[in-house]
Amino acid sequence: MRLLVVHAHPVPDSFGAALFRTVLDGAREGGHEVTALDLHAEGFEPRLSERERRGYGAEPPEDPAALDPALAPHVAALRRAEGVLFVHPTWWMGPPAILKGWVDRVWRPGVAFHADPAGGAIRPGLPDLRLLGVVTTLGSPRWAWLLMGEPGRRMLLRALRPCVARRARTLWLALHDMDRTTPERRAAFLARVRAKVAALR
């Protein structure tokens, strides 16, 4: 499978960075072709510019200059992918701002979906994408996450579903109570993540 792995954590020696490396190792072990995007390391700009936002709904954009050329490799990687794995911490029940901004800017009309001018359902722009996955850590216990309605999971695995293949699968791997976890639990989670990613088909 052609996997796009998108990582969002500002600290290079964090457990989140270890998860990113583990996902990459597991993907290569499983024989997958991997493209990795480390958003903080590359200094990705998450904010939509005024010109981008004004040209957001047009297909193709009425003002080609509204599309930031820096987005071209991200758009190309997304279009080529058969699976996307997001690796990030969950903060305030959702992904970090840099990852939300990546979705805002890259999963745009004409790339990830096609809007119906009459107001009907959107049409998928990524029909070859057959896997959406998240590998994350949460400071909250699982009961609190469930009580809040799993907002980050719904955003990345449910809200993006109309953009991808109709029978696309989802993967959710989460380590809860991160601030109170033990080295043994963290090691076990890394091993689980590596095995799950390696086994993807």
Side-chain angles (χ1 to χ4, degrees):
M1 187 186 304
R2 293 188 301 272
L3 285 179
L4 174 60
V5 182
V6 185
H7 172 55
H9 198 295
V11 182
D13 59 350
S14 63
F15 184 70
L19 278 174
F20 177 49
R21 292 190 296 272
T22 297
V23 168
L24 297 180
D25 289 344
R28 291 175 182 132
E29 182 182 308
H32 302 293
E33 182 183 332
V34 182
T35 299
L37 297 175
D38 185 338
L39 300 181
H40 280 281
E42 73 170 69
F44 182 80
E45 171 56 71
R47 294 173 299 177
L48 274 170
S49 69
E50 179 182 344
R51 290 184 80 177
E52 273 182 283
R53 183 58 198 165
R54 287 185 183 276
Y56 189 80
E59 294 187 48
E62 294 170 8
D63 178 9
L67 292 177
D68 186 339
L71 294 180
H74 294 258
V75 169
L78 180 61
R79 282 178 164 156
R80 191 168 182 279
E82 295 173 309
V84 174
L85 296 176
F86 299 102
V87 184
H88 66 85
T90 294
W91 292 336
W92 290 106
M93 298 292 169
I98 197 169
L99 180 54
K100 176 59 166 64
W102 185 82
V103 173
D104 289 344
R105 296 187 72 204
V106 178
W107 291 65
R108 56 177 298 121
V111 175
F113 64 93
H114 305 282
D116 182 347
I122 66 172
R123 290 182 293 108
L126 303 167
D128 294 332
L129 212 164
R130 52 190 173 89
L131 171 73
L132 287 171
V134 172
V135 178
T136 191
T137 57
L138 302 94
S140 64
R142 190 166 183 273
W143 66 263
W145 174 245
L146 294 173
L147 185 65
M148 292 297 293
E150 304 179 290
R153 179 176 185 165
R154 286 187 287 121
M155 182 198 131
L156 292 173
L157 299 188
R158 210 176 282 178
L160 297 181
R161 282 294 290 272
C163 301
V164 304
R166 185 176 179 183
R167 298 182 184 276
R169 292 172 295 131
T170 60
L171 174 69
W172 175 263
L173 298 171
L175 179 63
H176 286 270
D177 276 323
M178 181 61 196
D179 298 334
R180 291 177 292 277
T181 194
T182 62
E184 292 76 19
R185 276 193 68 211
R186 291 193 295 272
F189 186 65
L190 288 172
R192 180 176 172 230
V193 165
R194 182 170 185 149
K196 287 279 189 181
V197 172
L200 290 173
R201 293 295 176 263

